[in-house]
Amino acid sequence: SAVISQKPSRDICQRGTSLTIQCQVDSQVTMMFWYRQQPGQSLTLIATANQGSEATYESGFVIDKFPISRPNLTFSTLTVSNMSPEDSSIYLCSVERDNGYGYTFGSGTRLTVV
Amino acid sequence: QQPVQSPQAVILREGEDAVINCSSSKALYSVHWYRQKHGEAPVFLMILLKGGEQKGHDKISASFNEKKQQSSLYLTASQLSYSGTYFCGTESSNQGGKLIFGQGTELSVKP
């Protein structure tokens, strides 16, 4: 199955600053997905990133807060902008598995905003 | 709408069985099951598709009742390695990856 390299694995950031999270996949994929997992909670889809087009955001998430880049078929970034403590979460990227059934997740970025 | 999982938590002794349920208020195209261990990423276990096809883990089984929009994950003869939080993820159409996850079921297997 596709292998995802996600970084950074964790960071502690000051409020008001921005953090960019990177995901690199070892194979070409059409869609990449970005999720947020708040402490002790489930996973919530932030947006879907297709190469060559604007990301599609889910309700409650906006491009100004979570800009996404998808420059090619193996790479994507998610930026968490103007951070507040409420943004403290684990952020994960995900891609479809090679056989087309199910999804593989990156190891996640644990973000703490102070 | 987020699917509802039950129970929220379960504690087992090694070798015991467990069932985790996932129920949706929307018509479903597929149901996924994932296990997440503490501090790790979710790992795919199984997918159940509308029409009866199943793909996934060879030691864990599941069912999908399309009419009731419900799925159940069956963990038999549990092992210590089964401990973790189990999430169901539902797709309401073939939209390519738009999963909505349940709130999770925490499973602890004790020796």
Side-chain angles (χ1 to χ4, degrees):
Chain A
S1 213
V3 176
I4 304 174
S5 183
Q6 183 173 344
K7 57 183 179 182
S9 60
R10 58 177 65 230
D11 208 339
I12 301 173
C13 300
Q14 296 290 323
R15 68 173 67 204
T17 62
S18 298
L19 176 72
T20 295
I21 302 166
Q22 300 179 4
C23 273
Q24 178 77 51
V25 190
D26 68 347
S27 58
Q28 293 184 340
V29 293
T30 304
M31 290 189 286
M32 294 182 73
F33 306 92
W34 287 96
Y35 286 86
R36 181 175 73 183
Q37 188 173 29
Q38 294 177 304
Q41 302 295 314
S42 184
L43 297 95
T44 302
L45 182 63
I46 297 171
T48 302
N50 288 331
Q51 194 267 335
S53 63
E54 292 283 336
T56 302
Y57 289 82
E58 298 301 308
S59 176
F61 298 97
V62 295
I63 188 171
D64 290 346
K65 177 67 176 177
F66 298 101
I68 287 171
S69 78
R70 185 78 203 276
N72 57 53
L73 289 172
T74 64
F75 187 78
S76 180
T77 67
L78 170 78
T79 299
V80 186
S81 302
N82 188 25
M83 289 183 286
S84 66
E86 292 70 35
D87 295 320
S88 297
S89 290
I90 299 172
Y91 293 85
L92 303 108
C93 60
S94 174
V95 300
E96 193 173 46
R97 296 171 76 235
D98 291 343
N99 64 7
Y101 296 104
Y103 297 89
T104 296
F105 286 84
S107 53
T109 297
R110 184 180 293 271
L111 171 63
T112 302
V113 183
V114 297
Chain B
Q1 271 90 342
Q2 184 180 40
V4 177
Q5 287 184 233
S6 63
Q8 288 189 311
V10 59
I11 299 174
L12 298 174
R13 291 287 181 191
E14 212 172 355
E16 292 181 339
D17 302 338
V19 180
I20 300 172
N21 301 302
C22 176
S23 181
S24 174
S25 60
K26 298 181 71 172
L28 299 177
Y29 170 77
S30 71
V31 179
H32 300 227
W33 287 96
Y34 293 81
R35 177 171 61 213
Q36 185 177 32
K37 293 184 181 285
H38 185 71
E40 299 181 8
V43 173
F44 171 78
L45 296 175
M46 178 166 289
I47 182 173
L48 302 105
L49 297 164
K50 189 175 180 178
E53 190 175 8
Q54 297 185 19
K55 298 283 184 182
H57 206 285
D58 58 359
K59 293 192 175 179
I60 295 174
S61 63
S63 64
F64 179 22
N65 186 322
E66 297 171 31
K67 287 185 179 179
K68 292 187 176 181
Q69 294 136 214
Q70 294 175 345
S71 177
S72 295
L73 184 72
Y74 305 98
L75 304 165
T76 57
S78 59
Q79 306 170 18
L80 296 176
S81 62
Y82 285 10
S83 293
T85 302
Y86 289 76
F87 293 98
C88 67
T90 58
E91 286 183 282
S92 58
S93 66
N94 189 7
Q95 286 188 346
K98 197 168 178 175
L99 285 179
I100 301 175
F101 284 91
Q103 80 276 22
T105 295
E106 188 172 355
L107 179 77
S108 297
V109 181
K110 309 288 187 185

